Amino acid sequence: MTVVRVVGDTLRARAQLAVGAAASLDDEVQAAAGLRAFAAADRNGGGRLMLSVHPAPPVGPSPAALADRIARLGALHHPALDLPVSCGAVDGMAWMLEPLSPAPTARDRVLRSPLPLSEAVSAVRDLGRALAVMHRAGLTHGAIGLDTVQWRADGVRLAGAGLSMGITVRDDLDALAQLAWTLFSGQMRTPGSPRLSATRRRVPSRLDELCVAMFAADPAARPQRAEEILDVLDAIPTRRPSDLSAMIDAGVFDSRPRRHAPWLMVGIALVVLAALLATRT
């Protein structure tokens, strides 16, 4: 998190009065365009929080509109959704409290090393299911991206559900497509990017065709519902890899050539053979 310091600004003090005993605000941190955000501590022992303050209407939502949205979000249940905790108003501007996890974001995870393709497919499938739950409830997310997806030990989480309003299902699906390409390929997509199979080896043909469809020039030719994306992803066998299988997958699916991958496989085979011989003695 990048700390932001605004000299002579009183928003933090005013926001603290608005939040009251629910949380203790800390430093201001970098936030999405148009928002201001503060790290916070839950005074009831619930962990770390983030307070986001929207711009005043008509640029930002009214406090009543954000409260209605968060109430509707609270009725949803999906393990990949991180939902806001509470909301309110400060000087006519809507604020929102949401969980703040120390887990790495998708940006951190992808920049560290390309994902095994099986892990990337599993992650996008989980995110697609969370998005389908929102869309069936008449809600959209509006902030899907590398910085709102967190990589936790028990799977991916989609945060930021209260950050954007006035977004369409089409916007959500296009944002999911951009995110999926980055997770699948290990690269940011640029206009005119080739097929996924041109950037990674052994890409299932159905996944390759899905990526082509998600970036069709005509929006009407793209998937119109999250379930259409899930139909393809559900047909692709995946697993949540152990450390060993992740190493093997990285050698097979890495978008960058790895000359040492065959030697890795030989080394693993020798270790297994040595273990078998040891059991016979």
Side-chain angles (χ1 to χ4, degrees):
M1 271 190 315
T2 302
V3 175
V4 177
R5 301 201 181 277
V6 182
V7 178
D9 182 71
T10 62
L11 179 60
R12 179 180 176 277
R14 290 178 286 134
Q16 180 65 76
L17 289 173
V19 173
S24 176
L25 302 190
D26 296 328
D27 289 324
E28 182 169 2
V29 297
Q30 191 171 21
L35 297 173
R36 294 186 61 184
F38 300 87
D42 187 338
R43 285 179 170 168
N44 297 317
R48 300 294 295 170
L49 300 169
M50 176 80 76
L51 177 87
S52 300
V53 182
H54 289 261
V59 177
S62 69
L66 184 61
D68 175 70
R69 175 178 172 82
I70 289 180
R72 296 172 65 195
L73 285 169
L76 303 181
H77 300 282
H78 192 278
L81 273 178
D82 257 358
L83 299 176
V85 175
S86 62
C87 63
V90 52
D91 296 344
M93 298 179 292
W95 59 259
M96 175 190 71
L97 271 174
E98 62 179 333
L100 176 62
S101 170
T105 64
R107 185 183 301 278
D108 299 328
R109 181 65 181 85
V110 172
L111 291 180
R112 188 169 71 241
S113 63
L115 291 170
L117 190 57
S118 59
E119 185 179 350
V121 169
S122 292
V124 176
R125 181 189 294 141
D126 289 346
L127 297 172
R129 285 179 177 147
L131 204 56
V133 167
M134 293 189 69
H135 290 173
R136 286 196 293 268
L139 295 163
T140 53
H141 189 281
I144 299 167
L146 293 171
D147 297 313
T148 54
V149 173
Q150 295 175 336
W151 228 264
R152 303 187 189 175
D154 58 348
V156 294
R157 293 287 187 89
L158 181 57
L163 294 177
S164 299
M165 300 179 68
I167 300 297
T168 67
V169 169
R170 176 76 272 149
D171 293 329
D172 270 353
L173 295 179
D174 288 346
L176 181 64
Q178 293 286 348
L179 176 65
W181 176 274
T182 303
L183 296 183
F184 293 155
S185 68
Q187 307 168 7
M188 300 294 291
R189 189 177 186 276
T190 57
S193 293
R195 283 175 171 264
L196 182 62
S197 56
T199 65
R200 294 200 84 150
R201 292 172 285 172
R202 301 189 185 182
V203 174
S205 59
R206 294 192 67 182
L207 182 61
D208 208 22
E209 294 303 325
L210 173 64
C211 289
V212 171
M214 288 194 298
F215 293 103
D218 181 3
R222 303 172 197 163
Q224 301 300 303
R225 300 166 60 243
E227 287 84 354
E228 295 176 34
I229 298 172
L230 292 172
D231 285 344
V232 177
L233 298 182
D234 285 341
I236 299 174
T238 59
R239 63 189 182 282
R240 298 197 181 278
S242 64
D243 291 342
L244 179 59
S245 60
M247 289 171 61
I248 297 172
D249 275 356
V252 172
F253 292 121
D254 196 339
S255 57
R256 298 171 297 182
R258 292 194 175 202
R259 295 181 180 178
H260 64 273
W263 296 107
L264 173 64
M265 300 299 294
V266 170
I268 293 172
L270 290 174
V271 170
V272 172
L273 179 60
L276 289 174
L277 292 174
T279 60
R280 295 183 178 180
T281 59

